[in-house]
Amino acid sequence: MRCEEMEAEDNISTVTQFVLVGFSDLPNLQGLLFGVFSIIYTIVLVGNGLIVVITRIDTALQKPMYFFLANFSSLEICYVSVTLPRMLVNLWTQDRGISVLDCATQMCFFLILGTTECLLLAVMAYDRYMAVCNPLHYPLVMNQKVCIQLAVGSWISGVPVQIGQTCQIFSLRFCHSNRIDHFFCDIPPVLKLACGDTSAYELSLCVVVLLDAAVPFVLILGSYGKIISTLLRLPTARGRAKAFSTCSSHLLVVLLFFGSATITYFRPKSSHSPGTDKLLSLFYTIVTPMFNPMIYTLRNKDVIAALRKLFLKKF
């Protein structure tokens, strides 16, 4: 009996590869899915790339608001590139294997960039708060040095925590299966494969999510509470509409990202199903980054004017 237990432990500890199940349950749609996700990836790269370019070259967009927007668009490109290229390769080759190291690396970058997105959205909300509620102090407070510090802080603050969390998860032994019923290495489906009681790790995940997502979200709500209060005191409807137009795009992006991510990570465990998890993850990891450039450009006259100038120069 003792020998059998030792043999089982050896088998558990020598898992070197996972299998990303992805959308293999739709065998007749693999080509269509590859085409659709390739188009989405192209839209994400081109749309967000254009925003980065025009905010760098157009002098009318040399403002803190557009500096943070360029950072956000760069982030969206990185965020989607962590998951989508691997998924496209899996759909094209039907080879769904991923090494434990590659899986851990993908998860780590995904978590770091997700934390960066939460923090950057909070910074962008603070920028709008200063512009609307303290317009006279805005140029002094949101100077170039402060903007760079806020952006750098957003990019690096989550690095040590998420590296630690990834190491903690991959220090577990995996014994239920090596098949991850997802299209990328996310925490919930990987934890399902772990041996024994994982409640402590799930509690740790909740604490980290609360710190990295809930705190920025509360700061965003506080900023927009102040903004709305200020807008309601403006004397003219035209002034209110002009001020709110600079905030509405950001608020819509916040609701899309935080809404879908909250449903994914804070639903009761009993309501989790692989199909629903994949659908929700698709929404906040791929679909939302695709729509973000459209949300910002269609509702922003300065960005539309800059794009028009760029294309008139080219053609």
Side-chain angles (χ1 to χ4, degrees):
M1 185 66 180
R2 181 64 181 159
C3 290
E4 288 176 2
E5 287 177 358
M6 290 177 66
E7 193 173 315
E9 285 186 7
D10 289 341
N11 289 336
I12 290 167
S13 63
T14 54
V15 174
T16 57
Q17 189 175 55
F18 291 113
V19 175
L20 288 169
V21 173
F23 301 97
S24 58
D25 55 339
L26 303 169
N28 298 325
L29 298 177
Q30 299 297 291
L32 176 62
L33 289 172
F34 178 82
V36 169
F37 288 129
S38 295
I39 293 169
I40 290 174
Y41 191 40
T42 303
I43 292 171
V44 170
L45 294 179
V46 172
N48 286 288
L50 273 174
I51 288 177
V52 173
V53 170
I54 61 171
T55 53
R56 293 284 294 177
I57 65 174
D58 196 295
T59 53
L61 301 183
Q62 304 300 308
K63 301 173 184 176
M65 174 182 173
Y66 299 109
F67 169 77
F68 293 125
L69 179 56
N71 271 269
F72 187 71
S73 293
S74 302
L75 172 65
E76 294 292 61
I77 291 171
C78 298
Y79 191 57
V80 174
S81 296
V82 168
T83 58
L84 201 44
R86 164 70 70 169
M87 185 167 68
L88 290 173
V89 169
N90 292 349
L91 287 168
W92 181 257
T93 64
Q94 297 301 301
D95 178 10
R96 303 179 188 281
I98 181 170
S99 71
V100 172
L101 179 60
D102 287 347
C103 187
T105 302
Q106 185 185 55
M107 181 186 289
C108 188
F109 276 104
F110 176 77
L111 295 174
I112 289 170
L113 294 172
T115 302
T116 301
E117 182 145 357
C118 295
L119 295 172
L120 198 52
L121 286 171
V123 167
M124 292 169 78
Y126 175 71
D127 172 69
R128 292 300 83 213
Y129 159 75
M130 288 301 302
V132 174
C133 301
N134 296 288
L136 297 178
H137 295 99
Y138 180 67
L140 295 174
V141 175
M142 300 302 290
N143 56 56
Q144 186 180 24
K145 182 181 178 181
V146 170
C147 289
I148 291 172
Q149 287 174 341
L150 288 171
V152 171
S154 298
W155 280 93
I156 68 173
S157 293
V159 173
V161 175
Q162 299 303 352
I163 289 176
Q165 181 158 257
T166 304
C167 292
Q168 185 183 37
I169 289 168
F170 281 89
S171 66
L172 293 167
R173 291 184 173 185
F174 301 98
C175 54
H176 295 304
S177 169
N178 71 334
R179 292 170 62 82
I180 299 173
D181 201 351
H182 214 308
F183 60 88
F184 72 99
C185 292
D186 200 5
I187 294 177
V190 171
L191 272 180
K192 284 181 182 178
L193 308 182
C195 309
D197 182 18
T198 60
S199 57
Y201 294 92
E202 290 168 12
L203 179 61
S204 170
L205 169 63
C206 286
V207 171
V208 172
V209 170
L210 281 171
L211 289 173
D212 290 344
V215 172
F217 187 61
V218 169
L219 293 174
I220 291 168
L221 289 180
S223 297
Y224 275 101
K226 290 282 189 181
I227 288 169
I228 291 169
S229 175
T230 302
L231 294 182
L232 292 175
R233 292 199 300 269
L234 290 178
T236 64
R238 186 178 178 183
R240 286 193 295 269
K242 183 179 180 182
F244 187 72
S245 68
T246 65
C247 306
S248 56
S249 299
H250 177 253
L251 188 56
L252 182 56
V253 170
V254 167
L255 293 174
L256 286 172
F257 177 76
F258 279 99
S260 55
T262 299
I263 294 170
T264 300
Y265 286 99
F266 286 103
R267 279 181 303 144
K269 203 171 182 181
S270 58
S271 66
H272 278 259
S273 71
T276 307
D277 289 347
K278 289 177 198 175
L279 187 63
L280 286 168
S281 296
L282 275 175
F283 192 80
Y284 75 85
T285 60
I286 295 172
V287 177
T288 302
M290 178 182 70
F291 283 117
N292 285 347
M294 301 177 201
I295 291 169
Y296 279 111
T297 55
L298 294 177
R299 299 181 61 84
N300 191 303
K301 292 178 182 178
D302 291 339
V303 175
I304 291 172
L307 284 170
R308 192 177 289 128
K309 274 198 287 184
L310 177 66
F311 285 113
L312 285 174
K313 282 181 182 178
K314 293 291 181 184
F315 301 108

